[in-house]
Amino acid sequence: MTETAPRPTLEAVAARAGVSRATASRVVNGGDGVREPLVERVRRAVDELGYVPNQAARSLVTKRHDAVAVVVAEPETRVFADPFFALQLRGISKELTAHDNQLVLLLTEGRDDHARVGRYLAGGHVDGALVFSLHLDDPLPGLIRRAGIPTVFGGRPGWSDGDGGDVVYVDSDNRGGARDAVRHLVALGRTRVAHITGPLDQTSAADRLDGYRDVMADADPRLVVPGDFTPAGGERAMRELLDHRPDVDAVFAANDLTAAGALRVLREHGRRVPEDVAVIGFDDMLPVAEQTDPPLTTVRQDIEEMGRLMARLLLRGPDGPHPGEQAPRSGVVLPTTLVRRASA
Amino acid sequence: MTETAPRPTLEAVAARAGVSRATASRVVNGGDGVREPLVERVRRAVDELGYVPNQAARSLVTKRHDAVAVVVAEPETRVFADPFFALQLRGISKELTAHDNQLVLLLTEGRDDHARVGRYLAGGHVDGALVFSLHLDDPLPGLIRRAGIPTVFGGRPGWSDGDGGDVVYVDSDNRGGARDAVRHLVALGRTRVAHITGPLDQTSAADRLDGYRDVMADADPRLVVPGDFTPAGGERAMRELLDHRPDVDAVFAANDLTAAGALRVLREHGRRVPEDVAVIGFDDMLPVAEQTDPPLTTVRQDIEEMGRLMARLLLRGPDGPHPGEQAPRSGVVLPTTLVRRASA
DNA sequence: GTGAAAGCGCTAACAA
DNA sequence: TTGTTAGCGCTTTCAC
């Protein structure tokens, strides 16, 4: 990596504009309290020299970094196999950019990485962290709390906080969305509504199951079969379902991928969808939901907005754009909507 | 964003270990030329205090940042709708982590963003950039070259470099992979092999078309129809194909998504795959290729490895881990392999 | 081998 | 309003 040409310093700008470094600094940082003609001269000098502030020097004294870490625990490849995370990332990026913050991405792959991430966060490189922690037993949240930097979680964390829930997170209404889906199936006249769950150590999956149970309180336990958010898991579960309860007339799958798998098995067994079995997914992952046969009725969540909101909450601290307005001390839950297509 | 507790400085470590700041610094940076007992004492002090070096202070003097920007131009949502980019990102992240570098993600959404990114890169926040620039007319590459920082491109850039090709990039062998695919179809005895292209302003798509032509030099031009890397585009193209050349007996689709669309239309028209029409995709995007009906024969590229390699090339400058070993002055092309499943 | 001291580029008191 | 000055925490000559 070759060394680049030395860039002009504030000193150079000040000299060229015929002012002190302090005044030049003031102009660069907004120009409040500097008389117009001077502002003008400094601005010109900045342009002519192509001056860009040295962030390291600035951080050294301000102790701010205008950077936010996005931490993604990634025990499984799955996290990346669907566009879910990418969409959140995009929302986050947009919001951070709007506030002139940089996005530092921290991907973790195991124990060693956890230590590394903990060190990084504790090391004061960033002003805050956005964390995607998927599992109940994830050590990451603990590490991060110990690092003592402002944090917003993506999805409701699985652990309960010892001292009473001042954990900030953004989640979508998994339980409510599941309820809507199942109610829709019931309204369609289905009476033997099954549920293929997600991995229940993730709160999103657990919440969806709860939503199902809210409506189908006393359903046959055999109508609930475990899945894992993958198409293969959906196939397996659907076979089991067909085995134990061949009379099943509706399936609420924990996500679209699972539903896609179920759909395939149903076709394989000659069941018509939705005539014989109605199917509903969750996520409204377009590339999946629109491409299944038939297209999938599903529960939509605004994933990009979740990302934006996370960033907004993080930035909205005492030093944030709205000093008065306190960040919430716990979770924010975004609504979901049922999207009707052909499968139910 | 609340201010966190003041962290221990090198000064504190030195005091605790009973050495000078300079010695403490030496130990923290590897400990060369410091006598063992002192090293030991400093190490202990670091642990006890939980000392983490202040990166801003360090950068201020070293002018290095141990950070690399990943720039992703994202004119279309598509970039994120497939796991392609996510996989590269993962490869990049792994490699950077191994070299203690941070990953700063820069997502761009339009003209304004370009200026912002240019400023950031020129501003000396990072030691280098990994750039994904998809289109021929993208202004980003120019901006970045002007920023004058070491850069590696993901995919062969569409523009040719004025002063003779010292553009470093990593690509996979799109042309060779396409050739293999088409040859395989020919070997199957197919004589009317069609190609559904990708967007031809992307070099990957253009190269795949070239590969097709290498083998099918004098095919009916109507066997080549434009697609856009999406399933919808694949459907459209397949319909056109069936219209103009109902006798088509094989299709090489520019990517798996396109192939999935084509497959659907073929089924719709009662054509059996592979009996009536053999189909091959490109990418081996598992969630797509394995889940189509029938599972897709396709050309695999090692996407994660591309990411790793990009990072490795960037880091391998004069200051990198292998000072002697120069980075290549142009492109590195990774091989592809044909993965046989049921569709051809 | 170790320490003293200078200084990276910037902001923020404080004086003027 | 503007300038002077003192660091922020670290690395790196340069003496010792």
Side-chain angles (χ1 to χ4, degrees), chain B residues 155-289:
Chain B
R156 183 167 62 80
W159 31 270
S160 58
D161 191 16
D163 36 330
D166 60 339
V167 178
V168 183
Y169 66 85
V170 174
D171 203 355
S172 50
D173 186 8
N174 290 301
R175 187 166 185 164
R179 245 178 342 233
D180 291 347
V182 178
R183 280 203 193 110
H184 176 69
L185 292 170
V186 171
L188 253 27
R190 311 296 165 133
T191 54
R192 296 170 301 276
V193 180
H195 178 42
I196 304 177
T197 74
L200 294 174
D201 63 336
Q202 296 182 31
T203 54
S204 60
D207 291 352
R208 289 171 200 182
L209 172 56
D210 286 344
Y212 166 83
R213 289 204 170 122
D214 287 344
V215 183
M216 303 292 293
D218 32 45
D220 178 355
R222 286 175 307 171
L223 283 172
V224 177
V225 292
D228 56 7
F229 279 163
T230 71
E235 295 186 4
R236 218 176 304 122
M238 194 66 234
R239 289 213 174 82
E240 184 181 334
L241 223 33
L242 253 17
D243 236 37
H244 295 339
R245 289 292 306 252
D247 61 334
V248 59
D249 61 4
V251 175
F252 165 51
N255 73 349
D256 291 347
L257 259 19
T258 299
L263 243 29
R264 218 169 7 246
V265 170
L266 286 169
R267 185 167 49 226
E268 198 179 292
H269 285 247
R271 309 284 181 116
R272 290 166 310 158
V273 176
E275 295 83 350
D276 302 329
V277 182
V279 175
I280 297 191
F282 205 113
D283 283 350
D284 195 29
M285 210 115 278
L286 259 5
V288 179

Side-chain angles (χ1 to χ4, degrees), chain A residues 1 4 123 148 264 291 317-319, chain B residues 1 4 7 148 264 291 317-319:
Chain A
M1 224 120 37
T4 45
R264 219 173 3 248
Q291 305 302 335
D319 304 336
Chain B
M1 223 118 40
T4 45
R7 302 182 309 100
R264 218 169 7 246
Q291 305 303 333
D319 304 338

Side-chain angles (χ1 to χ4, degrees), chain B:
Chain B
M1 223 118 40
T2 337
E3 211 46 71
T4 45
R7 302 182 309 100
T9 70
L10 190 58
E11 182 78 56
V13 172
R16 183 166 191 117
V19 299
S20 73
R21 228 165 56 226
T23 297
S25 173
R26 290 182 186 113
V27 173
V28 168
N29 292 289
D32 297 343
V34 178
R35 247 190 285 272
E36 191 48 45
L38 284 198
V39 172
E40 197 42 53
R41 261 157 62 199
V42 173
R43 290 248 159 87
R44 190 166 25 249
V46 165
D47 282 354
E48 290 168 356
L49 263 35
Y51 169 77
V52 184
N54 179 320
Q55 185 62 39
R58 177 179 281 175
S59 290
L60 188 54
V61 34
T62 60
K63 274 134 176 42
R64 303 186 64 255
H65 303 84
D66 297 323
V68 167
V70 172
V71 184
V72 184
E74 190 207 16
E76 308 145 277
T77 316
R78 225 217 82 249
V79 185
F80 263 147
D82 68 42
F84 196 97
F85 171 66
L87 282 172
Q88 296 214 60
L89 201 54
R90 180 151 136 205
I92 291 170
S93 166
K94 281 185 179 165
E95 191 68 24
L96 290 183
T97 295
H99 293 303
D100 262 308
N101 268 260
Q102 292 313 320
L103 192 170
V104 179
L105 188 64
L106 269 31
L107 263 32
T108 77
E109 310 257 1
R111 294 273 153 186
D112 298 356
D113 277 11
H114 286 148
R116 180 189 114 244
V117 168
R119 227 179 307 122
Y120 184 79
L121 294 181
H125 304 254
V126 292
D127 302 321
L130 299 175
V131 180
F132 296 87
S133 154
L134 298 166
H135 298 285
L136 273 172
D137 59 348
D138 199 319
L140 216 48
L143 265 172
I144 290 164
R145 306 210 73 211
R146 243 166 286 136
I149 73 172
T151 303
V152 174
F153 287 89
R156 183 167 62 80
W159 31 270
S160 58
D161 191 16
D163 36 330
D166 60 339
V167 178
V168 183
Y169 66 85
V170 174
D171 203 355
S172 50
D173 186 8
N174 290 301
R175 187 166 185 164
R179 245 178 342 233
D180 291 347
V182 178
R183 280 203 193 110
H184 176 69
L185 292 170
V186 171
L188 253 27
R190 311 296 165 133
T191 54
R192 296 170 301 276
V193 180
H195 178 42
I196 304 177
T197 74
L200 294 174
D201 63 336
Q202 296 182 31
T203 54
S204 60
D207 291 352
R208 289 171 200 182
L209 172 56
D210 286 344
Y212 166 83
R213 289 204 170 122
D214 287 344
V215 183
M216 303 292 293
D218 32 45
D220 178 355
R222 286 175 307 171
L223 283 172
V224 177
V225 292
D228 56 7
F229 279 163
T230 71
E235 295 186 4
R236 218 176 304 122
M238 194 66 234
R239 289 213 174 82
E240 184 181 334
L241 223 33
L242 253 17
D243 236 37
H244 295 339
R245 289 292 306 252
D247 61 334
V248 59
D249 61 4
V251 175
F252 165 51
N255 73 349
D256 291 347
L257 259 19
T258 299
L263 243 29
R264 218 169 7 246
V265 170
L266 286 169
R267 185 167 49 226
E268 198 179 292
H269 285 247
R271 309 284 181 116
R272 290 166 310 158
V273 176
E275 295 83 350
D276 302 329
V277 182
V279 175
I280 297 191
F282 205 113
D283 283 350
D284 195 29
M285 210 115 278
L286 259 5
V288 179
E290 286 188 333
Q291 305 303 333
T292 53
D293 180 18
L296 205 57
T297 291
T298 186
V299 180
R300 169 181 301 162
Q301 31 185 348
D302 191 342
I303 303 172
E304 187 172 327
E305 178 58 23
M306 288 180 65
R308 292 190 94 105
L309 191 51
M310 287 179 68
R312 213 173 304 141
L313 291 179
L314 187 65
L315 261 19
R316 186 185 290 175
D319 304 338
H322 309 278
E325 175 182 359
Q326 273 302 315
R329 311 222 110 277
S330 63
V332 176
V333 176
L334 260 31
T336 59
T337 55
L338 189 69
V339 179
R340 289 208 56 182
R341 296 205 180 83
S343 71

Side-chain angles (χ1 to χ4, degrees), chain A residues 168-241:
Chain A
V168 182
Y169 66 85
V170 173
D171 202 355
S172 52
D173 187 7
N174 289 301
R175 187 166 186 163
R179 249 183 333 240
D180 290 347
V182 178
R183 281 204 192 107
H184 176 69
L185 292 170
V186 170
L188 251 29
R190 310 295 164 133
T191 53
R192 295 169 302 275
V193 181
H195 177 44
I196 304 177
T197 74
L200 294 174
D201 62 336
Q202 296 181 31
T203 54
S204 60
D207 291 352
R208 289 170 200 182
L209 172 56
D210 286 344
Y212 166 84
R213 290 207 168 118
D214 287 344
V215 183
M216 302 293 293
D218 31 46
D220 178 353
R222 286 175 307 171
L223 282 172
V224 176
V225 292
D228 56 7
F229 279 162
T230 71
E235 294 186 4
R236 220 177 302 122
M238 193 66 234
R239 289 215 173 83
E240 185 181 334
L241 223 33

Side-chain angles (χ1 to χ4, degrees), chain A residues 88-126:
Chain A
Q88 296 212 63
L89 202 54
R90 179 151 139 206
I92 290 170
S93 166
K94 281 185 179 165
E95 191 69 24
L96 290 183
T97 295
H99 293 301
D100 262 309
N101 268 260
Q102 292 314 320
L103 191 172
V104 178
L105 188 64
L106 267 31
L107 263 31
T108 78
E109 310 257 2
R111 295 274 153 185
D112 299 356
D113 277 10
H114 286 147
R116 179 188 114 243
V117 168
R119 227 179 308 122
Y120 184 79
L121 295 180
H125 304 253
V126 292

Side-chain angles (χ1 to χ4, degrees), chain A residues 25-99:
Chain A
S25 173
R26 289 182 187 112
V27 172
V28 168
N29 292 289
D32 298 343
V34 178
R35 246 190 285 271
E36 192 47 45
L38 284 196
V39 172
E40 198 42 54
R41 261 158 59 198
V42 173
R43 291 248 158 87
R44 187 162 31 244
V46 165
D47 281 354
E48 290 168 356
L49 263 34
Y51 169 77
V52 184
N54 179 319
Q55 185 62 40
R58 179 180 279 174
S59 290
L60 188 54
V61 35
T62 60
K63 274 133 174 42
R64 304 185 64 255
H65 303 85
D66 296 324
V68 167
V70 172
V71 184
V72 184
E74 189 208 16
E76 306 146 278
T77 317
R78 226 217 81 251
V79 185
F80 264 147
D82 68 43
F84 195 97
F85 171 66
L87 282 172
Q88 296 212 63
L89 202 54
R90 179 151 139 206
I92 290 170
S93 166
K94 281 185 179 165
E95 191 69 24
L96 290 183
T97 295
H99 293 301

